[in-house]
């Protein structure tokens, strides 16, 4: 896993990724409290809508990232989007209405929708050896998971001495640091596309995702993740604040076990993958993700004291975090093993866009469902969707072809379509 760190360019990119993620993590928590401040008992619905806007933005803009990166350069695109995200973060503490919050978060997520697939597509160009790239995937997942652990802990400490709106300041600083680190490296640049080619590149990755069996299966796994993920990411803060009566710092801290479980899965992934196999590891991880979410309704119905309930929710979130990381982290490997090198930027963008399309449905479903039906019934309904998606993924996934194998007729048509 650590062999990728020998590459100087990757070290700088990973550092930029980490500080930007830390800023994003603080922003995610701050947005949750902003929803509570602006909407009160409708906070879950407002937060679900905010995150639904995020996913609509990703779905529309992420496929454009490869074409834009080819024209302006990957480094310039990532720096520009970091600066845009910093500007929005500095403005969010002054928001006093839901409409203004929706608009600023749309701009923030539009920049992220261009940044993330550009960063993902840069890694195979920087790390050409499979072992190094696999290690980089694990490190990237570890960075996400460390953020999920560190951000709630840091937010909890900051909230002891300041208001939650000040968390946006840390967000802006993280994005500025990320832009500075990216400015310090040179990235491989692909020649610019003509206008007709650029339009084709927007849809080529999506076609390849849909025509490749293993990649179709990952989309079903992404639906499982998207079904139960919002129970953690949307409902935790409103549940802790409005139902369990927790303080701001306690509500932020309850997210930390999710990050800790994710870290454990990311650390053991390089060791277990060769023994278990890619497909079995990801399918098993999805089962581990779904199981604790299914236990939330019985836990809330037990009417235990607040302190016990919060400890048990934290334990469930640890297990869910493990399963989340085990399912999501190896997906870059699946893409690389089933995609030609020249198609990687388009396929990464297509996967990013299509997988996030599921969240357009599930984020509002979780938020509005919790506000109308309650947290337990909403979680159980989302678990049912996740289980059906897992069965579909198992049915679709054939044993992946070796990297660089001959494309099928459908895949070849998609490449040139």
């Amino acid at each position: 896993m650590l062999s990728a760190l020998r590459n100087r360019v990757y070290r700088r990119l990973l550092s930029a990724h980490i500080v930007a993620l830390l800023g994003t993590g603080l922003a995610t928590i701050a947005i949750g409290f902003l929803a509570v401040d602006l909407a009160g008992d409708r906070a879950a619905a407002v937060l679900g809508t905010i995150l639904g806007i995020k996913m609509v933005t990703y779905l529309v803009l992420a496929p454009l990232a490869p074409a834009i990166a080819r024209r302006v350069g990957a480094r310039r695109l990532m720096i520009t989007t970091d600066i845009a995200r910093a500007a929005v973060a500095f403005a969010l503490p002054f928001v006093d209405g839901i409409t203004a919050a929706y608009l600023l978060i749309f701009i923030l997520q539009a920049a992220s929708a261009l940044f993330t697939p550009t960063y993902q597509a840069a890694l195979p160009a920087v790390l050409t050896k499979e072992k190094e790239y696999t290690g980089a995937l694990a490190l990237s997942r570890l960075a996400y998971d460390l953020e999920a652990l560190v951000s709630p802990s840091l937010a909890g400490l900051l909230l002891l001495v300041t208001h939650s709106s000040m968390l946006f300041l840390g967000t802006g600083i993280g994005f500025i640091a990320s832009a500075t680190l990216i400015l310090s490296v040179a990235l491989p640049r692909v020649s610019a596309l003509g206008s007709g080619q650029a339009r084709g590149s927007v849809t080529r990755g999506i076609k390849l995702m849909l025509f490749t069996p293993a990649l179709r299966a990952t989309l079903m796994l992404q639906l499982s993740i998207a079904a139960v993920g919002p129970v953690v990411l949307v409902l935790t803060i409103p549940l802790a604040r409005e139902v369990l009566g927790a303080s701001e710092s306690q509500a932020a801290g309850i997210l930390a076990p999710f990050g800790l479980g994710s870290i454990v899965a990311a650390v053991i992934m390089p060791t277990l993958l060769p023994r278990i196999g890619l497909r079995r590891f990801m399918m098993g991880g999805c089962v581990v993700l779904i199981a604790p979410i299914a236990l939330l309704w019985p836990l809330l119905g037990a009417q235990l004291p607040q302190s016990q309930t919060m400890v048990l929710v934290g334990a469930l979130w640890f297990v869910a975090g493990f399963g989340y990381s085990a399912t999501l982290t190896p997906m870059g490997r699946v893409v690389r093993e089933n995609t030609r090198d020249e198609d990687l930027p388009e396929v990464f963008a297509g996967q990013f866009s299509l997988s996030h399309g599921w969240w357009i449905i599930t984020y509002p479903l979780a938020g509005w469902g919790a506000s109308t039906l309650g947290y337990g019934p909403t979680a159980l309904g989302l678990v049912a969707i996740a289980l059906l998606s897992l069965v579909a993924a198992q049915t679709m996934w054939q044993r992946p072809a070796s990297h660089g194998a001959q494309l099928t007729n459908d895949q070849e048509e998609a490449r040139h379509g």
Side-chain angles (χ1 to χ4, degrees):
M1 182 172 69
L2 299 180
S3 60
L5 294 176
R6 298 191 188 104
N7 187 301
R8 175 185 171 275
V9 173
Y10 174 68
R11 287 199 306 272
R12 296 289 181 92
L13 287 176
L14 180 62
S15 298
H17 185 48
I18 289 171
V19 294
L21 282 175
L22 184 59
T24 302
L26 291 176
T28 301
I29 295 169
I31 288 169
F33 289 119
L34 180 65
V36 173
D37 291 341
L38 294 177
D41 58 2
R42 294 181 54 251
V46 170
L47 188 54
T49 302
I50 286 174
L51 295 174
I53 291 172
K54 167 184 174 179
M55 293 307 163
V56 170
T57 307
Y58 280 12
L59 184 65
V60 173
L61 294 182
L64 300 176
I68 296 173
R70 284 189 170 100
R71 288 183 177 275
V72 306
R75 186 177 72 157
R76 185 179 299 176
L77 178 59
M78 288 191 283
I79 291 171
T80 301
T81 52
D82 268 341
I83 292 172
R85 293 191 290 181
V88 172
F90 290 137
L92 278 170
F94 303 100
V95 167
D96 58 3
I98 293 176
T99 302
Y102 287 162
L103 177 60
L104 285 175
I105 290 168
F106 168 78
I107 297 171
L108 177 71
Q109 303 306 337
S112 295
L114 296 177
F115 179 95
T116 302
T118 304
Y119 170 83
Q120 290 174 337
L123 295 185
V126 172
L127 301 166
T128 56
K129 296 180 180 179
E130 182 174 348
K131 182 179 179 181
E132 290 183 348
Y133 180 62
T134 300
L137 291 177
L139 287 171
S140 292
R141 183 69 253 165
L142 185 60
Y144 278 106
D145 299 333
L146 283 171
E147 175 274 311
L149 176 64
V150 173
S151 292
S153 302
L154 179 59
L157 292 174
L158 291 174
L159 290 172
L160 294 175
V161 296
T162 188
H163 189 267
S164 57
S165 62
M166 294 305 294
L167 297 178
F168 289 117
L169 178 62
T171 297
I173 293 172
F175 290 137
I176 290 174
S178 174
T180 303
L181 285 164
I182 294 170
L183 185 62
S184 69
V185 300
L187 298 177
R189 178 164 184 169
V190 181
S191 58
L193 296 176
S195 59
Q197 291 173 298
R199 286 193 294 270
S201 72
V202 171
T203 58
R204 187 183 304 140
I206 293 176
K207 289 180 180 179
L208 285 167
M209 287 292 301
L210 297 177
F211 282 129
T212 308
L215 300 185
R216 284 201 303 268
T218 65
L219 290 178
M220 289 296 98
L221 287 177
Q222 291 276 10
L223 177 54
S224 288
I225 294 171
V228 292
V231 178
V232 178
L233 303 176
V234 176
L235 303 184
T236 296
I237 289 178
L239 173 66
R241 292 285 284 155
E242 302 298 326
V243 177
L244 301 180
S247 66
E248 283 190 338
S249 59
Q250 288 174 325
I254 202 173
L255 287 166
F258 183 80
L260 182 59
S262 296
I263 289 171
V264 173
V267 168
I268 68 174
M269 184 192 79
T271 302
L272 290 183
L273 269 184
R275 302 177 183 178
I276 298 178
L278 192 60
R279 176 170 52 176
R280 187 178 299 175
F281 185 83
M282 294 173 66
M283 294 291 179
C286 195
V287 173
V288 174
L289 168 63
I290 295 170
I293 307 300
L295 297 175
L296 182 63
W297 192 1
L299 174 60
L300 295 178
Q303 297 183 339
L304 299 172
Q306 181 212 61
S307 59
Q308 292 183 28
T309 302
M310 292 191 64
V311 169
L312 291 173
V313 169
L316 293 179
W317 274 198
F318 173 86
V319 177
F322 184 98
Y324 182 89
S325 180
T327 309
L328 191 59
T329 304
M331 284 192 181
R333 275 277 303 271
V334 182
V335 171
R336 187 169 184 175
E337 290 177 359
N338 291 273
T339 307
R340 289 185 173 181
D341 290 342
E342 62 268 28
D343 293 321
L344 278 173
E346 284 77 17
V347 174
F348 273 116
Q351 185 201 49
F352 185 83
S353 179
L354 289 172
S355 63
H356 283 73
W358 299 128
W359 298 78
I360 295 174
I361 302 169
T362 58
Y363 267 145
L365 186 62
W368 288 94
S371 295
T372 55
L373 302 176
Y375 291 88
T378 298
L380 196 59
L382 293 169
V383 164
I385 296 173
L387 288 172
L388 291 173
S389 305
L390 177 60
V391 172
Q394 178 66 36
T395 302
M396 290 178 182
W397 198 340
Q398 301 173 1
R399 198 168 291 278
S402 60
H403 182 57
Q406 182 70 31
L407 294 177
T408 65
N409 291 335
D410 285 340
Q411 288 175 288
E412 191 64 40
E413 180 181 347
R415 287 185 69 241
H416 298 290

